Amino acid sequence: MSGSKKKKITKAERLKQLQEEEEKRQKEEEEARVKHEKEEMERLEIQRTEKEKWRKLEAKALERSNEELEELYLLERCFPEAEKLKREKRLLSQWKHYIQCDGSPDPSISQEINTFISLWKEETNETFEAVIAKSKLVLNLIERLKLILLETPPYDLQDKNIAQYQGSILELRELLHLKFNIATEILLRQASTLADLDSGNMEKVIQDENVTLYVWANLKKNPRYRSVRFSETQIGFEIPRILATSDIALRLLHTHYDHVTPLRPVPAASQENTSTVTPVVKGEVKSVETAISKNLQEERKQQENESHSVHEEETEVMEEQDDTERQTEEPEATKCDLEMKLLSETVSAAQMLLLENASEKPYSFEDPEVDLYQFTTLGGVYHLDILELPPQCKPVKGWMIVEILKEGLQKYVYPPETTEDFEMENAFPPIEVMLKVHENVIFFEAPMVARWDAEGKHWKTDGISNVSYQPEDRLITFSLETFGPVTLIQDAHVNMPYQSWELRPLDVNKVLLTVTTVFTEIQIQVKENLCMLASIKLNNKRHSSALEEKWMSPVSFIIALKEAGLNIFPTGHSHFYVVTNYKKKGRKKGQEQKSGVLSNLIFPKRVSLQYDLHVNEWSTTPAGQFSAELPLVEMKAYRQMALLSSAFAFGWSRWNTECDPKNVVFKVREHLTKEEPSPNPNWNFLMFSGDRAQSLKINESSEAFSKALKEDTEFHSTLYHMVKDSASEEAMEKVGRSSCQFTDSVCHLLLSTRLLSYS
């Protein structure tokens, strides 16, 4: 029994055991403390070394900053040079039109356009075919006026010119539609002679590249003939009994252009962008001009004095003449430099205008009014009219006699203002309409239908029901309470934000821009000063477009893409409807991102989140208020990317949404071959703040964003010199061969797409 019991530990043994444990604990703590101190010293040493290295790099970058900025300034003179060429081209175009003497007016000259309008008003009894033929010239004049307003820089446009051009556009629009109405009346007077043998009613279709007319005259008034279809198509109407028994005509005039939506205001040059530098430069130019005039006056006096001293030696006279010429040339050269500086500043201000974000919406849209800053009309306008049938032509003894009404073509009011005389409760039901969507327009979602409110001067979505869309046949059907102009609308930002993008050189002065969105992949080629749609993919399948292989100026190209439904060009109000990179950078992790939705759906109180690095906390600001530095950083990045685009490819990086709002991150690599890039090309990742460019250590598959500098790289004051630092001689030789017009066109495309903010 006693052997099975455990031996009791004595008090002395217990104390000894505790003492050993305490000594062991103290020893472990001391070892941990020494280890921690060593690690801390090593960390501090690494930190000190990194700081010292960072400080030396910053000092080195600062030392060569002026030199780099001066070189960049000289390289960026290509932008004012390109603007000078564009001015010369505009003047040459006016001169060519003047010497052509083809009878068409110059739309920019008010006397000529007013004379054209007055003379056309006097022309009468024009057939529909004749009006269509004349409309080609009218539409060309309107497009030329629009291009003048869009292509002319804001600082070259005066308010009176803007008012003149927009006034001419509106007059031409109204007159063209009036002529179509008169031609329709002339056509309807002959309805009885054009009647169909089977139905006894008149049906006519006149088709052109810009206009399509469908007209039906109810001559028989058969109450059972209530389904109207044109030329064996599904386009037409389902009319109620009351219209089937009335003297009416139905007209569907599909204009493939939109002359109903009010003109947008022309953006003006911001005073903030131009007022700070321009007056100083203008003053310098003026002072140099004064100095030149003084020099010329002194030269004349000197020449007069020299005429009296005929005994001076010939060598002395020659030397003085050389000195005088040299003195005159120097101020002239200075004047040219200052004028170029002035033009450079104004071009920069115009480029900055493309990146300006509106601080608030200009107007509060209420249902059912269509917000034209969020939506866009596509495929033209369908003018739907119920017309009173005019008196018909009557043959009398070989003559055709017709009664011409003084008031002209009259609309049939449906439903009537008072319906008390009608017993049936539903005597005036909505009219079912079937339309064909324009073949050259792409709808990424089912189109919405809007009607024109002539009183309020805006598009509305009320009074329209039972909308259905058949994408295979491109047919849309809906019921309409009252007739009038209708159009199809689509979210203008359906392709924003972009999923990715890449700018890749194909050759000197030739690049390919690829923009990938949720619905499509768009490829755009730029060559010299022209742009072309290279290809479109829908659902990863090639889609043919009428715009492919058509070279246009950048402004005309952007207009054409928008009108085709391929809108990848944000406006100053787009940030109210799209989550941009600036907003993403200020959002907490886990917060979902949505595209093409109203900002007040994402931020119910219309606020955007910002992270303040100085106080280490989140703050909120009203939606739409962006960092003042961001547009300037964007502009500098796009300008320098354009300078390098003949030999370097640039691409989207997911880290652009992770860096702070004052920086942009993208990838770059040298690309000298014309072949397609390899599946896994070696990209460098650059971060740019507008004043500093650096190469990052991270890549696209890194776990977290880091500003750590890539090994064996340095800071540079410009993006251009950062890329040049590791570039080959062949690449920089290609860059040097880029033309100013090409560089300007690439820059304009980048400024218009805003890839760094909207992807």
Side-chain angles (χ1 to χ4, degrees):
M1 291 290 291
S2 61
S4 62
K5 291 181 180 179
K6 291 183 179 179
K7 186 179 180 181
K8 288 184 178 180
I9 301 174
T10 62
K11 188 175 181 180
E13 289 174 336
R14 178 68 176 167
L15 287 173
K16 185 179 179 182
Q17 186 178 354
L18 290 173
Q19 188 176 2
E20 288 175 353
E21 288 177 358
E22 179 65 19
E23 288 175 355
K24 185 180 179 182
R25 184 184 64 79
Q26 288 179 356
K27 185 179 179 182
E28 287 175 352
E29 285 181 356
E30 180 64 19
E31 287 175 352
R33 185 187 63 79
V34 171
K35 184 181 178 182
H36 175 72
E37 285 180 356
K38 185 179 179 182
E39 288 176 351
E40 183 66 16
M41 287 178 67
E42 288 175 354
R43 187 186 67 80
L44 290 173
E45 180 61 22
I46 291 170
Q47 194 176 50
R48 188 193 65 77
T49 306
E50 288 293 325
K51 279 186 178 180
E52 182 64 21
K53 181 183 176 183
W54 195 274
R55 189 189 63 76
K56 287 180 179 178
L57 289 173
E58 284 183 331
K60 190 174 181 181
L62 185 64
E63 186 180 337
R64 64 188 173 204
S65 175
N66 288 339
E67 183 184 339
E68 289 181 346
L69 292 173
E70 284 174 11
E71 185 181 355
L72 180 65
Y73 173 75
L74 294 174
L75 291 167
E76 289 187 337
R77 288 186 69 162
C78 65
F79 297 113
E81 287 288 352
E83 184 55 40
K84 283 176 70 177
L85 290 173
K86 283 189 276 188
R87 283 181 179 178
E88 290 169 7
K89 186 180 177 182
R90 288 194 290 268
L91 292 171
L92 182 61
S93 177
Q94 286 182 333
W95 172 246
K96 283 182 177 178
H97 179 270
Y98 176 76
I99 62 175
Q100 272 179 352
C101 299
D102 58 359
S104 64
D106 184 340
S108 64
I109 300 174
S110 59
Q111 294 88 342
E112 290 191 26
I113 199 71
N114 290 339
T115 302
F116 172 80
I117 291 171
S118 300
L119 290 174
W120 197 25
K121 282 180 180 178
E122 293 173 3
E123 294 181 25
T124 56
N125 297 325
E126 291 175 286
T127 63
F128 211 93
E129 289 81 0
V131 176
I132 284 179
K134 193 67 168 280
S135 71
K136 292 182 179 6
L137 172 59
V138 176
L139 292 173
N140 179 259
L141 293 173
I142 290 172
E143 288 306 310
R144 283 168 64 185
L145 284 168
K146 284 182 179 178
L147 280 177
I148 290 171
L149 289 170
L150 290 171
E151 288 186 335
T152 308
Y155 51 83
D156 278 350
L157 274 176
Q158 296 182 6
D159 291 341
K160 64 177 183 179
N161 296 126
I162 295 172
Q164 174 198 321
Y165 300 152
Q166 290 191 331
S168 298
I169 289 171
L170 292 175
E171 279 192 76
L172 289 168
R173 278 182 172 189
E174 291 171 5
L175 182 56
L176 180 58
H177 194 67
L178 176 65
K179 288 288 184 179
F180 279 133
N181 285 342
I182 294 170
T184 302
E185 182 186 4
I186 293 170
L187 181 63
L188 287 174
R189 287 181 199 152
Q190 307 166 29
S192 57
T193 63
L194 301 171
D196 181 65
L197 294 175
D198 296 330
S199 66
N201 296 318
M202 175 264 204
E203 178 191 309
K204 184 78 172 176
V205 178
I206 301 174
Q207 201 158 5
D208 181 70
E209 59 180 328
N210 299 313
V211 177
T212 305
L213 172 72
Y214 302 91
V215 64
W216 176 82
N218 189 16
L219 300 172
K220 285 296 183 181
K221 295 183 280 297
N222 184 348
R224 290 177 295 180
Y225 194 91
R226 295 165 63 177
S227 182
V228 180
R229 294 291 183 275
F230 292 100
S231 299
E232 300 179 355
T233 68
Q234 296 184 47
I235 300 168
F237 310 93
E238 292 291 334
I239 59 175
R241 180 185 179 86
I242 192 159
L243 291 181
T245 57
S246 301
D247 279 325
I248 58 140
L250 298 175
R251 181 182 72 167
L252 164 55
L253 176 63
H254 180 200
T255 58
H256 303 169
Y257 48 82
D258 180 3
H259 282 182
V260 176
T261 304
L263 296 173
R264 286 278 180 92
V266 177
S270 172
Q271 291 296 321
E272 293 178 5
N273 292 339
T274 55
S275 60
T276 54
V277 183
T278 304
V280 178
V281 181
K282 283 182 177 177
E284 290 179 4
V285 173
K286 193 172 181 180
S287 64
V288 170
E289 286 176 345
T290 307
I292 291 171
S293 62
K294 284 182 180 179
N295 284 344
L296 291 173
Q297 288 175 5
E298 289 174 4
E299 182 188 354
R300 291 192 194 100
K301 288 180 182 178
Q302 187 176 355
Q303 286 176 350
E304 288 174 4
N305 294 333
E306 286 174 355
S307 64
H308 296 292
S309 54
V310 293
H311 298 291
E312 290 180 352
E313 294 182 4
E314 187 178 345
T315 54
E316 292 179 2
V317 173
M318 293 296 293
E319 287 174 4
E320 288 178 7
Q321 284 178 350
D322 290 341
D323 291 341
T324 305
E325 287 175 6
R326 202 176 299 114
Q327 288 172 4
T328 307
E329 286 172 3
E330 286 175 4
E332 283 288 352
T334 307
K335 181 188 173 184
C336 290
D337 287 341
L338 288 173
E339 283 179 345
M340 186 60 73
K341 185 179 179 182
L342 173 61
L343 184 58
S344 179
E345 293 294 339
T346 49
V347 167
S348 297
Q351 291 177 340
M352 197 68 181
L353 196 62
L354 292 171
L355 302 176
E356 249 183 27
N357 293 308
S359 57
E360 59 183 16
K361 291 185 184 180
Y363 179 72
S364 180
F365 297 91
E366 298 179 1
D367 286 340
E369 184 180 348
V370 175
D371 180 357
L372 288 176
Y373 289 97
Q374 181 184 7
F375 296 96
T376 183
T377 63
L378 286 179
V381 176
Y382 301 85
H383 297 267
L384 303 173
D385 296 295
I386 306 174
L387 305 170
E388 292 182 1
L389 202 59
Q392 297 299 295
C393 296
K394 295 178 182 178
V396 177
K397 295 181 181 180
W399 293 81
M400 294 296 289
I401 297 177
V402 62
E403 179 187 354
I404 299 176
L405 301 177
K406 187 178 180 181
E407 57 270 17
L409 194 65
Q410 294 295 303
K411 290 188 178 181
Y412 182 92
V413 180
Y414 180 91
E417 294 177 1
T418 58
T419 59
E420 296 174 359
D421 300 335
F422 298 90
E423 296 179 0
M424 294 176 62
E425 188 176 328
N426 196 22
F428 303 98
I431 300 171
E432 187 177 298
V433 182
M434 287 138 283
L435 301 176
K436 186 77 177 280
V437 177
H438 196 292
E439 60 183 3
N440 293 334
V441 173
I442 298 174
F443 281 94
F444 296 98
E445 297 171 338
M448 294 176 281
V449 184
R451 65 174 184 87
W452 179 248
D453 181 358
E455 187 178 342
K457 302 292 182 187
H458 51 242
W459 294 102
K460 298 177 76 173
T461 54
D462 61 344
I464 301 165
S465 57
N466 303 324
V467 181
S468 67
Y469 179 56
Q470 302 172 37
E472 297 82 11
D473 301 322
R474 299 184 69 82
L475 282 172
I476 188 163
T477 306
F478 55 91
S479 296
L480 199 60
E481 291 179 5
T482 57
F483 267 29
V486 299
T487 190
L488 305 179
I489 59 174
Q490 178 173 258
D491 188 345
H493 309 97
V494 70
N495 283 311
M496 300 178 205
Y498 323 126
Q499 289 190 318
S500 65
W501 59 270
E502 182 179 303
L503 181 71
R504 176 164 56 88
L506 300 176
D507 204 346
V508 177
N509 296 330
K510 190 175 181 181
V511 297
L512 180 72
L513 173 63
T514 303
V515 179
T516 305
T517 74
V518 173
F519 297 101
T520 183
E521 180 188 276
I522 302 171
Q523 289 194 326
I524 300 168
Q525 271 193 35
V526 182
K527 182 175 70 174
E528 293 294 341
N529 61 335
L530 298 173
C531 300
M532 179 193 75
L533 181 64
S535 71
I536 311 171
K537 283 184 182 177
L538 298 178
N539 299 320
N540 295 321
K541 293 180 182 178
R542 181 73 181 265
H543 178 83
S544 60
S545 170
L547 295 177
E548 289 184 57
E549 306 301 323
K550 289 185 179 179
W551 291 98
M552 291 176 262
S553 69
V555 173
S556 299
F557 177 74
I558 289 169
I559 294 171
L561 275 194
K562 284 182 175 180
E563 290 177 349
L566 299 169
N567 185 15
I568 52 170
F569 308 101
T571 66
H573 296 87
S574 293
H575 58 281
F576 291 113
Y577 310 103
V578 183
V579 181
T580 63
N581 276 347
Y582 177 72
K583 288 181 182 176
K584 286 180 185 175
K585 291 171 186 178
R587 299 174 76 187
K588 294 181 180 179
K589 286 188 177 180
Q591 192 173 2
E592 291 188 16
Q593 301 170 1
K594 300 180 182 180
S595 65
V597 293
L598 289 167
S599 59
N600 59 4
L601 295 178
I602 301 167
F603 305 109
K605 296 182 181 179
R606 287 186 60 207
V607 297
S608 59
L609 295 167
Q610 296 184 69
Y611 190 74
D612 193 331
L613 295 170
H614 298 290
V615 296
N616 204 32
E617 64 182 21
W618 294 90
S619 63
T620 60
T621 57
Q625 291 187 7
F626 285 73
S627 170
E629 295 92 342
L630 189 65
L632 184 60
V633 172
E634 271 193 272
M635 186 185 77
K636 288 182 176 181
Y638 296 145
R639 285 165 69 104
Q640 294 175 55
M641 285 163 69
L643 285 170
L644 294 158
S645 60
S646 278
F648 294 89
F650 297 87
W652 170 84
S653 170
R654 71 187 182 100
W655 300 119
N656 191 37
T657 61
E658 300 294 327
C659 65
D660 63 82
K662 295 181 181 179
N663 290 287
V664 291
V665 174
F666 48 89
K667 53 190 182 184
V668 61
R669 61 183 174 82
E670 194 173 291
H671 185 84
L672 301 177
T673 62
K674 296 180 183 179
E675 290 135 9
E676 289 283 330
S678 60
N680 297 305
N682 186 23
W683 292 97
N684 286 324
F685 290 77
L686 300 186
M687 186 170 74
F688 184 54
S689 67
D691 299 320
R692 175 189 286 178
Q694 65 185 79
S695 185
L696 299 177
K697 194 174 183 179
I698 57 171
N699 56 40
E700 205 69 2
S701 57
S702 299
E703 292 183 0
F705 175 75
S706 170
K707 290 185 179 180
L709 210 61
K710 188 177 180 181
E711 293 177 3
D712 301 323
T713 62
E714 300 176 348
F715 296 132
H716 285 275
S717 300
T718 72
L719 171 64
Y720 176 88
H721 290 91
M722 185 72 245
V723 175
K724 182 183 176 181
D725 205 23
S726 58
S728 66
E729 289 184 10
E730 185 184 355
M732 295 315 296
E733 186 267 334
K734 273 194 168 186
V735 168
R737 282 159 50 201
S738 299
S739 71
C740 63
Q741 288 182 303
F742 165 76
T743 305
D744 182 71
S745 297
V746 173
C747 183
H748 185 86
L749 195 60
L750 294 174
L751 289 164
S752 300
T753 50
R754 296 197 65 178
L755 300 171
L756 295 172
S757 283
Y758 283 84
S759 57

